[in-house]
Amino acid sequence: LEEDPRIARQVPMELLEKMRIQGDVIVRRAEPSQPDENAPWLLDITGPDMSLLIGRRGETLNALQYIARLITSRRLQRRANIIVDAGGYKSQRSQRLRQLAKRMADQAVQQSRTIYLEPMPPNERRIIHLALRDREDVETRSTGEGDTRKVTIVPK
């Protein structure tokens, strides 16, 4: 496991160089979403212009993470458990999604009606589900197909 963070850092550094984007990669363990889970490595890219890496609604950042995982996995000869972030975008987005989940759950209970959230990628839907899993007054479901898949919050 000692080579995991070294190789995981090396790959995005090479990609940044090829993209001609200045930046540095800080590697640390992310928080596990479940107690017995092996926490992923978080690669936080810092630099002068992170908006180029983030892209519209984080799409470029997600693509960069996908490519970095593929290359890192190939070099390690096993699945690489890494998350690529730029300027803390994903951690801030995660925090905003948890706040949104709680607000919408309260609204669903208060109005006694199902709330439909905007379509979002699987990792963001997961944040919503995890944020509300301990609430006994609502349940969450993912509905739709492909890019239109969204979370619904249903009062019990």
Side-chain angles (χ1 to χ4, degrees):
L1 290 177
E2 289 300 316
E3 70 178 337
D4 285 18
R6 182 179 56 78
I7 291 175
R9 180 181 185 275
Q10 184 181 15
V11 169
M13 289 295 292
E14 291 170 6
L15 291 171
L16 288 174
E17 188 178 320
K18 290 182 190 308
M19 296 167 71
R20 295 190 176 107
I21 295 177
Q22 287 183 340
D24 190 27
V25 180
I26 299 163
V27 181
R28 62 183 162 83
R29 279 285 192 186
E31 296 273 331
S33 58
Q34 297 173 354
D36 58 344
E37 183 180 65
N38 188 14
W41 291 102
L42 178 62
L43 311 175
D44 194 11
I45 302 172
T46 58
D49 191 12
M50 293 296 96
S51 63
L52 285 172
L53 285 180
I54 295 168
R56 184 179 162 269
R57 301 187 78 191
E59 291 172 355
T60 306
L61 186 57
N62 288 337
L64 180 66
Q65 175 175 295
Y66 178 75
I67 292 167
R69 271 187 184 165
L70 283 177
I71 296 169
T72 304
S73 294
R74 165 116 348 139
R75 290 183 183 174
L76 291 171
Q77 295 296 304
R78 60 181 148 63
R79 184 182 173 275
N81 192 10
I82 61 173
I83 298 171
V84 178
D85 198 356
Y89 172 81
K90 282 188 178 179
S91 58
Q92 291 171 3
R93 176 79 174 149
S94 176
Q95 187 175 13
R96 286 193 309 271
L97 285 170
R98 285 192 295 273
Q99 291 169 348
L100 173 71
K102 288 178 173 60
R103 256 192 349 267
M104 293 296 105
D106 291 342
Q107 185 178 340
V109 169
Q110 184 180 33
Q111 296 177 359
S112 297
R113 69 179 183 91
T114 299
I115 301 288
Y116 300 90
L117 300 181
E118 65 186 44
M120 54 184 76
N123 61 313
E124 292 185 356
R125 289 195 311 270
R126 185 169 193 264
I127 292 167
I128 301 288
H129 291 301
L130 291 174
L132 299 177
R133 72 177 168 191
D134 293 332
R135 288 196 52 163
E136 295 179 10
D137 56 346
V138 295
E139 69 178 37
T140 60
R141 300 181 191 133
S142 286
T143 58
E145 304 259 336
D147 291 343
T148 63
R149 199 154 169 83
K150 58 181 124 188
V151 175
T152 58
I153 302 172
V154 183
K156 288 186 179 177

